[in-house]
Every structure is written in C-alpha cells, then in structure tokens.
C-alpha cells in the first residue's frame, strides 16, 4: 500500500474535536434562526467570470474545475470555479430566485468554501463559513448595519469563545478622504493601507509614494488609518485632519449612526477602526472584522460588510449587508491553543456489554428502548470479559456500561465505580452525560 501524504490546507478533525466544531455549528444555526434568518444552500461552483474581479487577488485564488477525461473540445465544465466565499453565490441566488423571495430577505448559509492560497496557521484552502445576510429590493435601510453585528455577538456569546470585539468602518470614509486628498485611485490606496498591520506604517507610506502619492498625502492616509474609538469621537478626529469631501461626510454620518445605535444596544461591542477596509471590492458601506481580544495578530475570525451593487439584473438592484463567522478558523485556533476539547470522542453515552454472543438480541432490544428516549447507545462489538469491555468504553470516553446480571440489568458509571439496578424503560443518565460536552478553560467557559 502506498504511503498516505497529507495535503496542507485541507484540515480534518479527530472525532473529539469534530464534536467541538459541531457544537459551534449547532449554536450558530440555532441563533441565526432565532433572529429570523432562513437557511439556504448554494451550489459549490459558479462561472469563473462571476467569481473573478472581486479584489483580494481573487482571480489567483479561484479553483477551476474540469473533468479529468475531458478532451480539448469538451467545454462541459469550462469556466466553472469553486466559490471562494458565500456572498458572491448568494447574490447570484437572489437574482435567480428574486420572483420567489420575500424582501427584505434574511438568509443564513453554512457551507464549505475554497481558496487557492498558501496554507498557514488559520488560513486554509478548504474551510467552513457561517454567513448571515439581509438583502432588499431597491433600497436597504441602514439600521441593518447595526442589527447584523448584534446577531453575530449573540451567537458568539453562547459559545466558549474568549472576549472578542467587532471592528467596524465605512468604505465611504477612506474613499472620500482619499479623493479629498486628490488620490483618485481609491482601490490601489485601500489595498496598500490594508497591509499596515503586516508591513507597518513607514512601509505603507513608501508604497503609497511609489504608487504616485506625495509624502504629505501618504502620511495623512496613514493618520486616518490610526484613528479608532468605541464611541462617535472618531468623527472629530477625522475632521481634525482637515480633509473635506461629500463622500467622506456621508461615510462619517453613516458610521456615526451605527456606533451610536450600538452604544445603546450593546455598549463596547463595536469599535470604530478606520484601518478596516476588507479586501473584496464589492463592499460599498459598512465593513466589519471580528477579532479575539489579545490575539489580534492572528487576524480576524470573521467579517463582512455592505454591498449595494453586487446583485443587479439591470432593472432592479438588490443591496445587502452581511457578516460571516470563519468557523474552521475560529475552532482550529481555540483547539490548537488547548482552550477547548470534547468531553469524549463519541456521542455514545451507554455501552451495552455482552457476556455471550447469544445475548446480542436482548442487548439490541435494550439499546432500542434507550434510544427511543433519546439516549445514545451502542452494543459491544463482541462478547468479552467485563474488564475488557469497560476498558473499551473508557478509551472512547463512554461514561456508562450496561450489564445483565443474575439480579437483572444494572448500569455502571465507570468514572466513579457506582453500579445500580436499571430499567431500560425508565433509567436516564444525568443531563450532562447524555451528549458530549465542550470542555473549556475556566476563564473562557
């Protein structure tokens, strides 16, 4: 048999860690539904033309697909690529099904996405995202830009996640500021300034000058990126830089409204941070990045923003705003730091022991009775000595072993050694033992 070589960037969990991930997915899904978001799933592929030209070197990251047996003149899979996020396919979905959707349309989507980038800690080529978006027909009220981070915060606060902050900006602020400076190639400036955390402010100034900015323009662009606040004081800080432009005014007003509303509903949740830009070109208003406090160097574990022109059929435009949680990125980070683990590697709560193979039929009946009451059960794979079966259960973290004795059935808690009579029609394990639990460090629980 040939040696199996792992493929980097395609993470796979062991069973106990998969239990952690599934818990996160369940809580996120339930929270999204509590807030009225409907579930959809889109196909894995989109036309490359639709996926490309979205910024952030998207063209280089798209995985194209084709049949291995395709001939040169076979175009059955031509120009199709795996989606690199869930927003672009969602925009297509809205256009395709607009006649059957009720607007404003609130959707959530939890799926795999693929990016052909260099794998490193927290960056994968295949990973799971959990998105929520609200899309409307024609106009989208700005109050949704406050609602979405509140929903995300509700989900994260139900999970064993360390303290987090959602940083927010408005793309109109840097755009208006740069135009007010006389820098009209906004996209280039945004992409250079977006690297400030990686290369530092001095290098950003150098690159801006190389791109055509004056030294003064470049330094003012960096000064804008240094502004942050947990209230609306960022407005005065921007005004103090002395740059004026109508688009800048609009962005400051919109972000100020978001921060004021957030201060009322969730004080301290949002931080206005004017270096947040998001690399994808379709964002037009509010943009968000989610960070674990004290682990900002790891990068964001989620983000999103407003997009006003991504979905349009030429007659009607469907503006939207959305945020995603990078589930794979977040869960892998917490597990790798030793902050989380599953309490066992299997959902099984009870192992039914076998003294002899002829007892299997009765054991199967017992298992069925317990499962009818929602207790996860499995029957021992083979008859063996009790000690061996207890070791089998212990290795997998199964807390209870069910025995047939001369006095009738009994169940043993193999952690404490306590063994008591049990009736499959009435016996129930403690609530915390029915399903695997997520074990966290005390300060994060």
């Amino acid at each position: 048999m040939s040696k199996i070589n792992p493929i980097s960037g395609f993470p796979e969990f062991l069973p106990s860690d998969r239990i952690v991930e599934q818990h996160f997915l369940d809580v996120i899904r339930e929270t999204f539904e509590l807030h009225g978001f409907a579930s959809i799933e889109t196909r894995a592929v989109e036309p490359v033309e639709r996926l490309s030209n979205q910024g952030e070197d998207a063209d280089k990251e798209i995985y194209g697909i084709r049949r291995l047996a395709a001939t040169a003149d076979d175009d059955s899979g031509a120009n199709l690529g795996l989606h690199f996020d869930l927003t672009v396919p969602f925009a297509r979905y809205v256009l395709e099904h607009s006649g059957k959707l009720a607007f404003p349309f609130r959707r959530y989507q939890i799926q795999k996405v693929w990016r052909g980038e260099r794998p490193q800690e927290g960056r994968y080529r295949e990973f799971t995202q959990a998105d929520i978006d609200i899309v409307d027909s024609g106009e989208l009220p700005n109050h949704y830009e406050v609602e979405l981070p509140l929903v995300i915060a509700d989900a994260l606060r139900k999970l064993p996640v360390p303290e987090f902050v959602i940083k927010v900006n408005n793309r109109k602020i840097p755009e208006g500021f740069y135009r007010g400076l006389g820098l009209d190639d906004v996209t280039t400036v945004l992409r250079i300034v977006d690297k400030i955390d990686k290369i530092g402010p001095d290098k950003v100034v150098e690159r801006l000058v190389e791109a055509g900015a004056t030294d003064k323009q470049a330094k003012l662009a960096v000064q804008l990126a240094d502004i942050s606040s947990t209230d609306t004081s960022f407005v005065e800080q921007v005004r103090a830089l002395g740059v004026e432009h109508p688009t800048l005014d609009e962005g400051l007003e919109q972000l100020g409204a978001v921060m004021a509303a957030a201060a009322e509903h969730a004080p301290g949740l949002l931080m206005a941070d004017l270096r947040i830009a998001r690399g994808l070109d379709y964002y037009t208003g509010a943009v968000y990045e989610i960070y674990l406090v004290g682990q900002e160097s790891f990068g964001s574990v989620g983000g999103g923003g407003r997009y006003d022109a991504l979905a349009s059929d030429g007659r009607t435009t469907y503006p939207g705003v959305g945020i995603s949680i990078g589930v794979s990125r977040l869960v892998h980070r917490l597990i790798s730091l030793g902050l989380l683990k599953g309490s066992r590697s299997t959902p099984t709560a009870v192992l039914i022991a076998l003294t002899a193979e002829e007892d299997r039929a009765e054991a199967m009946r017992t298992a069925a009775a317990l499962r009818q009451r929602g207790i996860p059960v499995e029957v021992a794979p083979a008859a063996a000595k009790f000690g061996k079966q207890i070791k089998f259960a212990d290795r997998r973290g199964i807390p209870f072993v069910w025995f047939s004795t001369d006095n009738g059935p009994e169940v043993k808690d193999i952690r404490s050694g306590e063994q008591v009579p049990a009736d499959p029609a009435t016996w129930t394990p403690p609530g915390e033992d029915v399903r695997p639990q997520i074990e966290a460090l005390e300060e994060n629980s």
Side-chain angles (χ1 to χ4, degrees), residues 168-186:
V168 59
N169 193 6
N170 189 297
R171 286 285 281 264
K172 294 176 183 177
I173 293 175
E175 178 183 347
F177 190 86
Y178 302 154
R179 294 192 186 282
L181 285 173
L183 299 172
D184 292 328
D185 188 356
V186 174

Side-chain angles (χ1 to χ4, degrees), residues 214-236:
T214 67
D215 187 65
K216 181 179 179 181
Q217 290 172 328
K219 288 180 177 177
L220 281 170
V222 168
Q223 284 182 263
L224 178 74
D226 280 340
I227 294 175
S228 65
S229 70
T230 56
D231 52 27
T232 59
S233 63
F234 69 91
V235 177
E236 288 74 26

Side-chain angles (χ1 to χ4, degrees), residues 57 74 133 144 148 169 178 229 301 359 399 432:
D57 296 323
D74 182 357
D133 285 73
Y144 291 127
L148 288 193
N169 193 6
Y178 302 154
S229 70
V301 294
D359 296 332
E432 64 272 17

